[in-house]
Amino acid sequence: LSLLHRLLEDDPVVVAPLLLNKVLVVGGVPAERVSGRIVEVEAYRGADDPASHAFRGPTPRNLVMFGPPGHLYVYFTYGMHYCCNVVCRPEGTAGAVLVRALAPLAGLDEMRRRRPRARLDRDLSSGPGKLCQALGLDRTFDGVDLLAASSRVRLLDDGTAPPAAVASGPRIGISTQLATAFEPWRFWVAGDPNVSR
DNA sequence: ATAGAGATTGCCT
DNA sequence: GGCAATCTCTATA
């Protein structure tokens, strides 16, 4: 088992900052490949985190969160946007890391075609909905194994060092009524221009 | 059955 | 800064 495999068995709060500077790649042949470096994430713990989709148990939408770690959880929200997560914790225990922002690496022309309203490169994938649009991720990608070589989406360690400085703070868009709303479970690469805010 | 909120984005004032 | 767009899920009746 690879380092990533073992890492992803852990608590999302531990895993999340360790995913910074890892790479998300969509598509097989280089000509169609689109990729970006992860620069912002949030941890969702599951059973003890009322902000997590898995808090009330499995449903058709969140079922992948209860499956094996290292798979992609993609959900549809606000009637128009997709968001993608890396599933954590052993099979049977829910947990995930929401990918909130990427620094574009490859396939920028394709990203611009999918996001015609992005004026600057930093508008391409600087948000959870934006990056799914830029990468072409939708519900058909729900459950894909990110660590299998043959998958349509992969999570890679390209050898880049961890960020020199990681910042953290409360998660975005969480109702302040929830018990875990103020936990500092959002992590980002300090100073990166692609961070969502 | 119906209503309201939601892990968002982009346009308008 | 405010708000519409528009689907899914949850809570309440």
mmCIF file of all heavy atoms in Angstrom, chain A residues 131-168:
data_model
loop_
_atom_site.group_PDB
_atom_site.id
_atom_site.type_symbol
_atom_site.label_atom_id
_atom_site.label_comp_id
_atom_site.label_asym_id
_atom_site.label_seq_id
_atom_site.Cartn_x
_atom_site.Cartn_y
_atom_site.Cartn_z
ATOM 1 N N LEU A 131 -13.650 24.644 -9.630
ATOM 2 C CA LEU A 131 -12.656 23.625 -10.014
ATOM 3 C C LEU A 131 -13.332 22.388 -10.607
ATOM 4 O O LEU A 131 -12.782 21.764 -11.513
ATOM 5 C CB LEU A 131 -11.750 23.281 -8.834
ATOM 6 C CG LEU A 131 -12.267 22.430 -7.689
ATOM 7 C CD1 LEU A 131 -12.029 20.954 -7.922
ATOM 8 C CD2 LEU A 131 -11.595 22.850 -6.393
ATOM 9 N N CYS A 132 -14.525 22.064 -10.137
ATOM 10 C CA CYS A 132 -15.239 20.935 -10.748
ATOM 11 C C CYS A 132 -15.635 21.260 -12.180
ATOM 12 O O CYS A 132 -15.559 20.410 -13.060
ATOM 13 C CB CYS A 132 -16.469 20.574 -9.918
ATOM 14 S SG CYS A 132 -16.058 19.624 -8.432
ATOM 15 N N GLN A 133 -16.043 22.513 -12.413
ATOM 16 C CA GLN A 133 -16.377 22.924 -13.776
ATOM 17 C C GLN A 133 -15.125 22.891 -14.656
ATOM 18 O O GLN A 133 -15.151 22.372 -15.772
ATOM 19 C CB GLN A 133 -16.973 24.328 -13.734
ATOM 20 C CG GLN A 133 -17.696 24.715 -15.007
ATOM 21 C CD GLN A 133 -18.349 26.090 -14.899
ATOM 22 O OE1 GLN A 133 -18.178 26.807 -13.915
ATOM 23 N NE2 GLN A 133 -19.097 26.458 -15.913
ATOM 24 N N ALA A 134 -14.011 23.406 -14.145
ATOM 25 C CA ALA A 134 -12.771 23.444 -14.923
ATOM 26 C C ALA A 134 -12.270 22.049 -15.263
ATOM 27 O O ALA A 134 -11.743 21.813 -16.353
ATOM 28 C CB ALA A 134 -11.702 24.211 -14.154
ATOM 29 N N LEU A 135 -12.456 21.111 -14.334
ATOM 30 C CA LEU A 135 -11.978 19.740 -14.559
ATOM 31 C C LEU A 135 -13.032 18.856 -15.233
ATOM 32 O O LEU A 135 -12.753 17.718 -15.589
ATOM 33 C CB LEU A 135 -11.559 19.090 -13.234
ATOM 34 C CG LEU A 135 -10.401 19.729 -12.468
ATOM 35 C CD1 LEU A 135 -10.021 18.875 -11.266
ATOM 36 C CD2 LEU A 135 -9.193 19.948 -13.355
ATOM 37 N N GLY A 136 -14.257 19.363 -15.362
ATOM 38 C CA GLY A 136 -15.326 18.576 -15.977
ATOM 39 C C GLY A 136 -15.889 17.510 -15.056
ATOM 40 O O GLY A 136 -16.442 16.513 -15.518
ATOM 41 N N LEU A 137 -15.770 17.711 -13.745
ATOM 42 C CA LEU A 137 -16.237 16.707 -12.781
ATOM 43 C C LEU A 137 -17.730 16.856 -12.508
ATOM 44 O O LEU A 137 -18.209 17.961 -12.257
ATOM 45 C CB LEU A 137 -15.464 16.835 -11.465
ATOM 46 C CG LEU A 137 -13.965 16.575 -11.543
ATOM 47 C CD1 LEU A 137 -13.304 16.817 -10.192
ATOM 48 C CD2 LEU A 137 -13.706 15.154 -12.020
ATOM 49 N N ASP A 138 -18.463 15.755 -12.577
ATOM 50 C CA ASP A 138 -19.882 15.735 -12.231
ATOM 51 C C ASP A 138 -20.193 14.418 -11.521
ATOM 52 O O ASP A 138 -19.285 13.674 -11.151
ATOM 53 C CB ASP A 138 -20.767 15.936 -13.467
ATOM 54 C CG ASP A 138 -20.504 14.866 -14.522
ATOM 55 O OD1 ASP A 138 -20.136 13.731 -14.159
ATOM 56 O OD2 ASP A 138 -20.694 15.158 -15.722
ATOM 57 N N ARG A 139 -21.489 14.140 -11.338
ATOM 58 C CA ARG A 139 -21.875 12.955 -10.554
ATOM 59 C C ARG A 139 -21.429 11.637 -11.184
ATOM 60 O O ARG A 139 -21.366 10.616 -10.502
ATOM 61 C CB ARG A 139 -23.394 12.938 -10.342
ATOM 62 C CG ARG A 139 -23.857 13.871 -9.245
ATOM 63 C CD ARG A 139 -23.563 13.342 -7.846
ATOM 64 N NE ARG A 139 -24.478 12.290 -7.415
ATOM 65 C CZ ARG A 139 -24.345 11.605 -6.285
ATOM 66 N NH1 ARG A 139 -23.329 11.860 -5.468
ATOM 67 N NH2 ARG A 139 -25.216 10.681 -5.964
ATOM 68 N N THR A 140 -21.130 11.657 -12.474
ATOM 69 C CA THR A 140 -20.659 10.412 -13.093
ATOM 70 C C THR A 140 -19.276 10.029 -12.559
ATOM 71 O O THR A 140 -18.831 8.898 -12.748
ATOM 72 C CB THR A 140 -20.598 10.514 -14.628
ATOM 73 O OG1 THR A 140 -19.570 11.434 -15.009
ATOM 74 C CG2 THR A 140 -21.929 10.961 -15.203
ATOM 75 N N PHE A 141 -18.590 10.974 -11.912
ATOM 76 C CA PHE A 141 -17.278 10.688 -11.336
ATOM 77 C C PHE A 141 -17.365 10.270 -9.872
ATOM 78 O O PHE A 141 -16.356 9.983 -9.240
ATOM 79 C CB PHE A 141 -16.373 11.914 -11.452
ATOM 80 C CG PHE A 141 -15.929 12.217 -12.857
ATOM 81 C CD1 PHE A 141 -16.763 12.901 -13.730
ATOM 82 C CD2 PHE A 141 -14.676 11.820 -13.295
ATOM 83 C CE1 PHE A 141 -16.355 13.188 -15.028
ATOM 84 C CE2 PHE A 141 -14.265 12.102 -14.591
ATOM 85 C CZ PHE A 141 -15.106 12.782 -15.457
ATOM 86 N N ASP A 142 -18.589 10.251 -9.321
ATOM 87 C CA ASP A 142 -18.772 9.887 -7.908
ATOM 88 C C ASP A 142 -18.317 8.452 -7.677
ATOM 89 O O ASP A 142 -18.773 7.533 -8.364
ATOM 90 C CB ASP A 142 -20.259 10.043 -7.549
ATOM 91 C CG ASP A 142 -20.526 9.873 -6.063
ATOM 92 O OD1 ASP A 142 -19.804 10.494 -5.262
ATOM 93 O OD2 ASP A 142 -21.447 9.119 -5.711
ATOM 94 N N GLY A 143 -17.422 8.251 -6.721
ATOM 95 C CA GLY A 143 -16.971 6.905 -6.381
ATOM 96 C C GLY A 143 -15.717 6.435 -7.083
ATOM 97 O O GLY A 143 -15.230 5.339 -6.793
ATOM 98 N N VAL A 144 -15.181 7.232 -7.992
ATOM 99 C CA VAL A 144 -13.967 6.818 -8.709
ATOM 100 C C VAL A 144 -12.795 6.653 -7.729
ATOM 101 O O VAL A 144 -12.609 7.460 -6.827
ATOM 102 C CB VAL A 144 -13.613 7.857 -9.793
ATOM 103 C CG1 VAL A 144 -12.227 7.611 -10.347
ATOM 104 C CG2 VAL A 144 -14.655 7.846 -10.901
ATOM 105 N N ASP A 145 -12.023 5.602 -7.934
ATOM 106 C CA ASP A 145 -10.837 5.338 -7.104
ATOM 107 C C ASP A 145 -9.687 6.237 -7.556
ATOM 108 O O ASP A 145 -9.129 6.049 -8.628
ATOM 109 C CB ASP A 145 -10.451 3.863 -7.233
ATOM 110 C CG ASP A 145 -9.271 3.480 -6.352
ATOM 111 O OD1 ASP A 145 -8.684 4.378 -5.694
ATOM 112 O OD2 ASP A 145 -8.935 2.286 -6.318
ATOM 113 N N LEU A 146 -9.326 7.185 -6.710
ATOM 114 C CA LEU A 146 -8.312 8.184 -7.077
ATOM 115 C C LEU A 146 -6.903 7.625 -7.106
ATOM 116 O O LEU A 146 -5.995 8.261 -7.627
ATOM 117 C CB LEU A 146 -8.354 9.351 -6.077
ATOM 118 C CG LEU A 146 -9.619 10.193 -6.097
ATOM 119 C CD1 LEU A 146 -9.648 11.111 -4.877
ATOM 120 C CD2 LEU A 146 -9.706 11.001 -7.373
ATOM 121 N N LEU A 147 -6.703 6.436 -6.526
ATOM 122 C CA LEU A 147 -5.352 5.888 -6.421
ATOM 123 C C LEU A 147 -5.094 4.766 -7.424
ATOM 124 O O LEU A 147 -3.988 4.213 -7.461
ATOM 125 C CB LEU A 147 -5.102 5.390 -4.992
ATOM 126 C CG LEU A 147 -5.324 6.449 -3.901
ATOM 127 C CD1 LEU A 147 -4.986 5.884 -2.523
ATOM 128 C CD2 LEU A 147 -4.508 7.691 -4.180
ATOM 129 N N ALA A 148 -6.091 4.437 -8.244
ATOM 130 C CA ALA A 148 -5.901 3.401 -9.265
ATOM 131 C C ALA A 148 -5.360 4.039 -10.548
ATOM 132 O O ALA A 148 -5.852 5.073 -10.999
ATOM 133 C CB ALA A 148 -7.224 2.693 -9.546
ATOM 134 N N ALA A 149 -4.367 3.395 -11.124
ATOM 135 C CA ALA A 149 -3.682 3.966 -12.290
ATOM 136 C C ALA A 149 -4.604 4.160 -13.476
ATOM 137 O O ALA A 149 -4.388 5.042 -14.311
ATOM 138 C CB ALA A 149 -2.504 3.074 -12.678
ATOM 139 N N SER A 150 -5.671 3.347 -13.561
ATOM 140 C CA SER A 150 -6.533 3.387 -14.739
ATOM 141 C C SER A 150 -7.706 4.360 -14.600
ATOM 142 O O SER A 150 -8.505 4.494 -15.510
ATOM 143 C CB SER A 150 -7.088 1.980 -14.993
ATOM 144 O OG SER A 150 -7.828 1.561 -13.861
ATOM 145 N N SER A 151 -7.815 5.046 -13.460
ATOM 146 C CA SER A 151 -8.996 5.861 -13.203
ATOM 147 C C SER A 151 -9.036 7.140 -14.035
ATOM 148 O O SER A 151 -8.000 7.665 -14.443
ATOM 149 C CB SER A 151 -9.069 6.232 -11.724
ATOM 150 O OG SER A 151 -9.322 5.093 -10.941
ATOM 151 N N ARG A 152 -10.251 7.633 -14.247
ATOM 152 C CA ARG A 152 -10.468 8.882 -14.996
ATOM 153 C C ARG A 152 -10.000 10.105 -14.218
ATOM 154 O O ARG A 152 -9.767 11.163 -14.789
ATOM 155 C CB ARG A 152 -11.958 9.057 -15.309
ATOM 156 C CG ARG A 152 -12.538 8.041 -16.253
ATOM 157 C CD ARG A 152 -13.940 8.436 -16.648
ATOM 158 N NE ARG A 152 -14.860 8.356 -15.511
ATOM 159 C CZ ARG A 152 -16.047 8.952 -15.476
ATOM 160 N NH1 ARG A 152 -16.439 9.693 -16.492
ATOM 161 N NH2 ARG A 152 -16.833 8.805 -14.424
ATOM 162 N N VAL A 153 -9.956 9.966 -12.885
ATOM 163 C CA VAL A 153 -9.430 11.035 -12.025
ATOM 164 C C VAL A 153 -8.424 10.420 -11.079
ATOM 165 O O VAL A 153 -8.674 9.346 -10.529
ATOM 166 C CB VAL A 153 -10.541 11.672 -11.151
ATOM 167 C CG1 VAL A 153 -10.072 13.007 -10.621
ATOM 168 C CG2 VAL A 153 -11.834 11.762 -11.877
ATOM 169 N N ARG A 154 -7.302 11.107 -10.880
ATOM 170 C CA ARG A 154 -6.284 10.561 -9.993
ATOM 171 C C ARG A 154 -5.742 11.629 -9.059
ATOM 172 O O ARG A 154 -5.713 12.813 -9.402
ATOM 173 C CB ARG A 154 -5.132 9.958 -10.815
ATOM 174 C CG ARG A 154 -5.596 8.822 -11.719
ATOM 175 C CD ARG A 154 -4.422 8.140 -12.360
ATOM 176 N NE ARG A 154 -3.583 7.497 -11.349
ATOM 177 C CZ ARG A 154 -2.328 7.144 -11.552
ATOM 178 N NH1 ARG A 154 -1.747 7.396 -12.710
ATOM 179 N NH2 ARG A 154 -1.643 6.553 -10.590
ATOM 180 N N LEU A 155 -5.333 11.167 -7.890
ATOM 181 C CA LEU A 155 -4.665 12.011 -6.903
ATOM 182 C C LEU A 155 -3.206 11.599 -6.894
ATOM 183 O O LEU A 155 -2.891 10.445 -6.595
ATOM 184 C CB LEU A 155 -5.293 11.804 -5.523
ATOM 185 C CG LEU A 155 -4.652 12.551 -4.355
ATOM 186 C CD1 LEU A 155 -4.784 14.055 -4.515
ATOM 187 C CD2 LEU A 155 -5.270 12.095 -3.033
ATOM 188 N N LEU A 156 -2.308 12.510 -7.238
ATOM 189 C CA LEU A 156 -0.896 12.173 -7.380
ATOM 190 C C LEU A 156 -0.017 13.016 -6.467
ATOM 191 O O LEU A 156 -0.324 14.177 -6.180
ATOM 192 C CB LEU A 156 -0.446 12.418 -8.827
ATOM 193 C CG LEU A 156 -1.174 11.656 -9.934
ATOM 194 C CD1 LEU A 156 -0.608 12.070 -11.285
ATOM 195 C CD2 LEU A 156 -1.040 10.161 -9.723
ATOM 196 N N ASP A 157 1.073 12.405 -6.050
ATOM 197 C CA ASP A 157 2.153 13.144 -5.413
ATOM 198 C C ASP A 157 3.237 13.299 -6.471
ATOM 199 O O ASP A 157 3.870 12.317 -6.859
ATOM 200 C CB ASP A 157 2.666 12.364 -4.199
ATOM 201 C CG ASP A 157 3.751 13.118 -3.449
ATOM 202 O OD1 ASP A 157 4.320 14.074 -4.016
ATOM 203 O OD2 ASP A 157 4.027 12.753 -2.296
ATOM 204 N N ASP A 158 3.435 14.508 -6.983
ATOM 205 C CA ASP A 158 4.416 14.704 -8.056
ATOM 206 C C ASP A 158 5.793 15.066 -7.513
ATOM 207 O O ASP A 158 6.662 15.495 -8.261
ATOM 208 C CB ASP A 158 3.908 15.755 -9.052
ATOM 209 C CG ASP A 158 3.907 17.162 -8.456
ATOM 210 O OD1 ASP A 158 4.099 17.293 -7.233
ATOM 211 O OD2 ASP A 158 3.730 18.121 -9.230
ATOM 212 N N GLY A 159 5.959 14.905 -6.205
ATOM 213 C CA GLY A 159 7.268 15.153 -5.622
ATOM 214 C C GLY A 159 7.465 16.567 -5.102
ATOM 215 O O GLY A 159 8.485 16.850 -4.469
ATOM 216 N N THR A 160 6.488 17.415 -5.366
ATOM 217 C CA THR A 160 6.568 18.783 -4.833
ATOM 218 C C THR A 160 6.582 18.747 -3.306
ATOM 219 O O THR A 160 5.824 17.991 -2.700
ATOM 220 C CB THR A 160 5.369 19.611 -5.322
ATOM 221 O OG1 THR A 160 5.392 19.655 -6.748
ATOM 222 C CG2 THR A 160 5.407 21.026 -4.761
ATOM 223 N N ALA A 161 7.409 19.561 -2.707
ATOM 224 C CA ALA A 161 7.495 19.610 -1.238
ATOM 225 C C ALA A 161 6.193 20.147 -0.652
ATOM 226 O O ALA A 161 5.446 20.856 -1.324
ATOM 227 C CB ALA A 161 8.659 20.497 -0.830
ATOM 228 N N PRO A 162 5.903 19.793 0.608
ATOM 229 C CA PRO A 162 4.747 20.396 1.279
ATOM 230 C C PRO A 162 4.907 21.914 1.320
ATOM 231 O O PRO A 162 6.033 22.417 1.207
ATOM 232 C CB PRO A 162 4.804 19.799 2.693
ATOM 233 C CG PRO A 162 5.626 18.561 2.560
ATOM 234 C CD PRO A 162 6.602 18.827 1.453
ATOM 235 N N PRO A 163 3.786 22.637 1.483
ATOM 236 C CA PRO A 163 3.873 24.105 1.502
ATOM 237 C C PRO A 163 4.802 24.588 2.614
ATOM 238 O O PRO A 163 4.851 24.000 3.701
ATOM 239 C CB PRO A 163 2.437 24.547 1.784
ATOM 240 C CG PRO A 163 1.580 23.376 1.457
ATOM 241 C CD PRO A 163 2.416 22.159 1.660
ATOM 242 N N ALA A 164 5.497 25.677 2.353
ATOM 243 C CA ALA A 164 6.363 26.267 3.375
ATOM 244 C C ALA A 164 5.527 26.749 4.552
ATOM 245 O O ALA A 164 5.938 26.644 5.705
ATOM 246 C CB ALA A 164 7.166 27.427 2.778
ATOM 247 N N ALA A 165 4.315 27.263 4.239
ATOM 248 C CA ALA A 165 3.439 27.747 5.317
ATOM 249 C C ALA A 165 2.006 27.366 5.012
ATOM 250 O O ALA A 165 1.501 27.641 3.917
ATOM 251 C CB ALA A 165 3.564 29.258 5.448
ATOM 252 N N VAL A 166 1.341 26.706 5.966
ATOM 253 C CA VAL A 166 -0.073 26.341 5.840
ATOM 254 C C VAL A 166 -0.877 27.225 6.796
ATOM 255 O O VAL A 166 -0.566 27.309 7.986
ATOM 256 C CB VAL A 166 -0.304 24.864 6.201
ATOM 257 C CG1 VAL A 166 -1.787 24.534 6.216
ATOM 258 C CG2 VAL A 166 0.439 23.955 5.223
ATOM 259 N N ALA A 167 -1.920 27.875 6.259
ATOM 260 C CA ALA A 167 -2.814 28.669 7.096
ATOM 261 C C ALA A 167 -4.069 27.866 7.371
ATOM 262 O O ALA A 167 -4.408 26.945 6.620
ATOM 263 C CB ALA A 167 -3.163 29.980 6.394
ATOM 264 N N SER A 168 -4.788 28.195 8.442
ATOM 265 C CA SER A 168 -6.030 27.488 8.758
ATOM 266 C C SER A 168 -7.037 28.450 9.365
ATOM 267 O O SER A 168 -6.683 29.517 9.865
ATOM 268 C CB SER A 168 -5.770 26.328 9.713
ATOM 269 O OG SER A 168 -5.332 26.823 10.969
#
